[in-house]
Amino acid sequence: MIQATPTGVHESGDACIELRRLHRFFGKTKAVNDISFSVARGHVYGYIGPNGAGKTTSMRILATLDLPSYGDAYVDGFSVVNDPELVRGRLGFMPDSFGTYRDVNCQEYLDFFARAYGLIGRQRKQRLDWVLDFTGTQGMAEKPIRGLSKGMKQRLCLGRALIHDPAVMILDEPAAGLDPRARIQLRQMIRELADQGKTVLISSHILTELAEMCDSVGIIEQGKLLATGSVEEIERQQAHTRELVIRILANEDHSEVSVADVLRNRPEVDNLVVDGELIRFAFAGDVQDQAALVAMLVNQGFQVAEVTSRKKSLEDVFLHVTEGLVQ
């Protein structure tokens, strides 16, 4: 049974995308299990999770291609349950796989969707010209789609999603299969769309790119949202945010008490591993705490020869938060 809310604009502050206790069940499988988050207007939100986590199901509900079992979602203030037609006019959806018509050219393809959205006359021509220019496909406007590379087809699909000037963009794995240059160019286009005020929800398995591109991220596994916020906020939520490797020279003055003994007694140190002169461990602290730790070791007479510090990446956080479970 679908829980509906009153038809009309939903007041949600500055949020342009909002999921409110969203559920989607397929028999006993809880593809989406009580997910709630919001994305502010003009922000890019990265949706991260293993295959089968529920990302695409959530996106299909936002795109009005599926209905929730319970809960609701809002796009630019309108309910996907009660006002799907209004949602579709405000949303551009780029699925992970999309159909193209091999025997039409790029301009004909985009013109077809412009007409489907009700664009006419000068307005339709202006949008066609703008989309071809923005996606870099104007030089291929007359080229049949069957002759396009994977990267150019992705650009064309992005143009299709943009043709009606939506407020919200839903992009499901848009960088899949692209070469490095094409991924960089796609990332630049997405950031430019956000700078124009569009709200973007994007899923990807390329976590380093999401960390550079997104204002905030959400990590989902087995249909449940495990963490959400900016990359920095999620990193701070983890117990140990950086890894330290310290090289200690052998010192006869510390034959009874080793540096490992000293470090094991400190609450900010975890997962300590001794490998000859190298001491490797997870460290809960910032750079000032790191400097204080090294100073303490030096003051106690340990000969610190080298210190290497590595802050946890989004990939590290993802591996820590998730367990690799699928449904």
Side-chain angles (χ1 to χ4, degrees):
M1 179 179 178
I2 298 170
Q3 292 181 342
T5 53
T7 301
V9 176
H10 168 71
E11 296 296 337
S12 56
D14 196 38
C16 205
I17 297 174
E18 186 176 9
L19 278 65
R20 302 184 67 188
R21 306 209 64 178
L22 198 67
H23 297 72
R24 183 64 173 103
F25 304 151
F26 297 95
K28 295 182 179 180
T29 301
K30 298 179 179 180
V32 177
N33 190 6
D34 198 12
I35 287 183
S36 298
F37 67 81
S38 61
V39 187
R41 190 176 304 276
H43 281 211
V44 179
Y45 187 92
Y47 212 20
I48 306 169
N51 292 327
K55 303 185 301 296
T56 296
T57 300
S58 307
M59 290 179 157
R60 283 177 55 82
I61 291 172
L62 279 169
T64 72
L65 298 175
D66 196 3
L67 285 170
S69 301
Y70 302 97
D72 206 345
Y74 298 87
V75 172
D76 203 20
F78 291 94
S79 163
V80 300
V81 174
N82 294 317
D83 303 296
E85 290 296 332
L86 294 174
V87 168
R88 289 167 194 149
R90 289 161 171 78
L91 180 140
F93 180 47
M94 183 176 173
D96 57 349
S97 60
F98 55 94
T100 55
Y101 308 109
R102 291 172 50 82
D103 295 325
V104 302
N105 62 39
C106 295
Q107 182 163 317
E108 291 169 340
Y109 180 79
L110 293 173
D111 184 68
F112 172 83
F113 285 97
R115 292 171 185 270
Y117 277 107
L119 302 182
I120 59 174
R122 180 179 298 178
Q123 182 189 27
R124 187 175 77 244
K125 184 179 185 308
Q126 289 175 343
R127 285 304 299 172
L128 279 170
D129 291 343
W130 183 89
V131 165
L132 287 168
D133 178 67
F134 179 78
T135 59
T137 53
Q138 69 271 48
M140 300 186 177
E142 304 297 328
K143 187 173 183 178
I145 291 176
R146 64 175 178 271
L148 297 182
S149 65
K150 170 72 173 180
M152 294 310 296
K153 285 183 179 179
Q154 291 292 84
R155 287 172 177 259
L156 184 63
C157 186
L158 179 63
R160 184 189 71 180
L162 281 169
I163 195 66
H164 58 300
D165 195 18
V168 175
M169 299 291 295
I170 308 293
L171 311 178
D172 193 3
E173 297 287 347
L178 298 186
D179 62 62
R181 179 178 293 276
R183 289 204 304 269
I184 292 170
Q185 293 170 340
L186 178 65
R187 185 170 70 237
Q188 292 171 340
M189 285 190 284
I190 291 170
R191 277 310 324 174
E192 186 173 341
L193 290 173
D195 292 340
Q196 294 172 8
K198 297 189 185 301
T199 306
V200 182
L201 175 64
I202 177 173
S203 70
S204 177
H205 292 302
I206 307 171
L207 303 189
T208 52
E209 292 195 343
L210 288 183
E212 297 174 5
M213 179 193 329
C214 296
D215 301 290
S216 54
V217 298
I219 301 176
I220 181 176
E221 186 174 43
Q222 285 196 311
K224 296 190 71 69
L225 193 66
L226 303 182
T228 186
S230 69
V231 175
E232 292 76 16
E233 288 170 346
I234 294 179
E235 287 173 346
R236 285 197 298 268
Q237 292 169 11
Q238 308 308 308
H240 298 85
T241 60
R242 62 180 63 235
E243 181 186 64
L244 290 185
V245 179
I246 299 179
R247 183 183 173 206
I248 304 291
L249 299 182
N251 189 338
E252 295 181 357
D253 295 336
H254 289 88
S255 57
E256 296 182 1
V257 180
S258 70
V259 66
D261 295 326
V262 174
L263 292 173
R264 284 194 185 100
N265 294 325
R266 299 189 65 88
E268 69 271 34
V269 172
D270 195 15
N271 298 330
L272 188 143
V273 177
V274 179
D275 182 12
E277 294 182 341
L278 298 179
I279 312 294
R280 188 187 313 273
F281 54 92
F283 183 67
D286 56 21
V287 290
Q288 286 77 22
D289 299 323
Q290 174 184 319
L293 179 72
V294 173
M296 179 273 295
L297 293 175
V298 172
N299 290 335
Q300 292 195 21
F302 293 102
Q303 298 184 41
V304 179
E306 184 178 353
V307 179
T308 303
S309 174
R310 186 180 73 88
K311 188 177 179 182
K312 279 189 175 180
S313 67
L314 183 58
E315 290 181 343
D316 296 323
V317 173
F318 175 78
L319 291 174
H320 179 78
V321 170
T322 62
E323 299 179 23
L325 302 175
V326 295
Q327 301 191 77

